[in-house]
Amino acid sequence: MSKITAAITGVAGYVPEYVLTNKELETMVETNDEWITSRTGIKERRILKGEGKGTSHIAVPAVLELLKKTNTKPEEVDLLICATTTPDMVFPATANLITAEVGAVNAFGYDLQAACSGFLYALVTGSKFIESGQYKKVIVVGADKMSSIIDYTDRATCIIFGDGGGAVMLEPNTEGYGILDSVLKSDGTGAQYLHMKAGGSRKPATIETVQAREHYAYQEGQAVFKFAVKGMADVSAEVMERNHLTGDDVAWLVPHQANKRIIEATANRMGLSNEKVMLNIHKYGNTTSGTIPLCLWEYESQLKKGDNLVLAAFGGGFTWGAIYLKWAYDPK
């Protein structure tokens, strides 16, 4: 019997309509378009507007599109994992809100939180349910409404983040396509450099924590940048070495869209030209768990069956990882 691998059989994405440009940010904090672009590569980002709208309102349109594209009935879905740092509520899980909204009545679901590496962690986790033979259809969502935890008076963070997300379908494959290897890492000593000070069980919300603006993402940019460059490059190189891949063998690097300079450093370490790097940070900024599925969604028409892809990410706290997968279908 051939080995079962978990192959991506479809991808979909969603970004909100409202565009927050660098020009508009100039009216909010002391910055300018040239400064933001030269340091991050970001020109604009999307923001989810509207009372009572959360991450599930980004995920649901993506999942509905995914079901349509893969000709899947909602009741056929076995499992939905939602990677997010900005759940609609502490509980229930955002995954459960999504399954209810799309009609996936037979699926169980849960959230996975690993900051910007969340989608990679969730993709590997979902693949194990397929490889074991337990499930046939697993949806992995990566989505975040980062605007809900960003302080728009803090120049260090508000220029970077946006809202958006995507979803992929995982199904069994016996032809050697799909997720073939992964390297996942974490180091909790990095928490001091990128975290949210209040809102968890250590420091529940009080009038004082709100007034002190402690319910927003806090980042020490230089420290995070240094760790991210090394972390993403190291795991990408490791997964290539383990699978005897050279830069010529890799069709695409699918990097987390945190900073253009981090992406370029990772590509250089892998021996890849810029033409082999998926990039949309200029349009969407850093959507945390959403960046990698949004890249796959935008570049889907350029992917060919058999293409070797390396997915790489680095996230707060710290988390990082890389996945080697072989693309399973030609553009439709």
Side-chain angles (χ1 to χ4, degrees):
M1 182 180 165
S2 302
K3 183 178 185 287
I4 297 172
T5 54
I8 293 175
T9 57
V11 58
Y14 176 81
V15 288
E17 288 181 18
Y18 188 87
V19 178
L20 176 59
T21 63
N22 289 350
K23 210 75 185 158
E24 186 176 348
L25 278 172
E26 290 177 12
T27 68
M28 300 159 73
V29 289
E30 191 180 331
T31 190
N32 61 67
D33 175 60
E34 192 278 328
W35 192 90
I36 297 171
T37 305
S38 63
R39 283 161 180 77
T40 66
I42 302 167
K43 300 293 282 185
E44 56 189 42
R45 63 292 289 146
R46 301 298 182 95
I47 304 295
L48 182 65
K49 299 274 191 176
E51 191 71 33
K53 290 198 171 180
T55 296
S56 68
H57 295 87
I58 294 168
V60 166
V63 173
L64 288 172
E65 183 194 340
L66 179 68
L67 293 170
K68 186 177 178 184
K69 283 172 73 173
T70 57
N71 295 313
T72 303
K73 294 175 182 173
E75 56 270 24
E76 293 175 331
V77 179
D78 298 305
L79 165 65
L80 186 145
I81 306 172
C82 179
T84 187
T85 302
T86 54
D88 286 33
M89 309 174 218
V90 174
F91 68 90
T94 303
N96 293 353
L97 300 175
I98 298 166
T99 54
E101 194 66 30
V102 303
V105 292
N106 295 315
F108 88 97
Y110 60 89
D111 293 354
L112 191 154
Q113 209 282 73
C116 298
S117 306
F119 182 76
L120 290 194
Y121 279 33
L123 198 60
V124 171
T125 304
S127 73
K128 301 307 177 187
F129 284 96
I130 297 287
E131 290 169 15
S132 71
Q134 187 172 1
Y135 294 133
K136 296 286 190 282
K137 291 181 184 290
V138 173
I139 292 177
V140 179
V141 173
D144 271 298
K145 184 189 175 184
M146 288 305 293
S147 62
S148 66
I149 58 167
I150 295 301
D151 181 355
Y152 285 93
T153 66
D154 175 19
R155 186 176 68 172
T157 54
C158 73
I159 65 169
I160 297 167
F161 293 97
D163 303 340
V168 300
M169 180 72 75
L170 291 177
E171 296 186 81
N173 186 282
T174 54
E175 301 173 280
Y177 300 107
I179 295 165
L180 302 180
D181 197 11
S182 63
V183 179
L184 301 177
K185 304 274 190 179
S186 64
D187 180 2
T189 62
Q192 61 186 306
Y193 303 112
L194 185 49
H195 62 273
M196 189 191 293
K197 295 179 187 299
S201 58
R202 279 193 188 186
K203 201 172 187 182
T206 63
I207 291 172
E208 289 76 24
T209 63
V210 173
Q211 289 174 339
R213 308 183 78 79
E214 292 184 339
H215 295 267
Y216 296 119
Y218 167 81
Q219 174 172 285
E220 290 184 25
Q222 282 188 313
V224 174
F225 180 86
K226 188 172 76 173
F227 277 101
V229 166
K230 185 176 188 311
M232 266 178 68
D234 281 356
V235 288
S236 300
E238 184 180 341
V239 84
M240 286 176 69
E241 287 163 17
R242 283 189 357 187
N243 293 278
H244 311 293
L245 300 169
T246 67
D248 292 336
D249 300 319
V250 177
W252 293 97
L253 168 64
V254 192
H256 169 53
Q257 309 285 302
N259 182 296
K260 195 176 179 187
R261 290 184 293 172
I262 296 171
I263 294 168
E264 287 168 351
T266 303
N268 287 338
R269 176 79 175 275
M270 295 169 66
L272 297 181
S273 62
N274 291 338
E275 293 74 38
K276 289 185 168 187
V277 180
M278 293 189 187
L279 201 66
N280 60 16
I281 190 172
H282 54 291
K283 293 194 291 187
Y284 305 134
N286 182 348
T287 55
T288 304
S289 300
T291 64
I292 289 176
L294 280 174
C295 278
L296 292 173
W297 173 56
E298 289 214 309
Y299 281 81
E300 184 187 22
S301 63
Q302 299 180 54
L303 296 173
K304 295 188 284 293
K305 189 174 183 177
D307 278 354
N308 289 318
L309 274 59
V310 174
L311 284 53
F314 185 92
F318 289 128
T319 62
W320 68 104
I323 291 173
Y324 164 44
L325 68 83
K326 200 175 279 289
W327 197 249
Y329 61 95
D330 285 317
K332 298 197 169 45

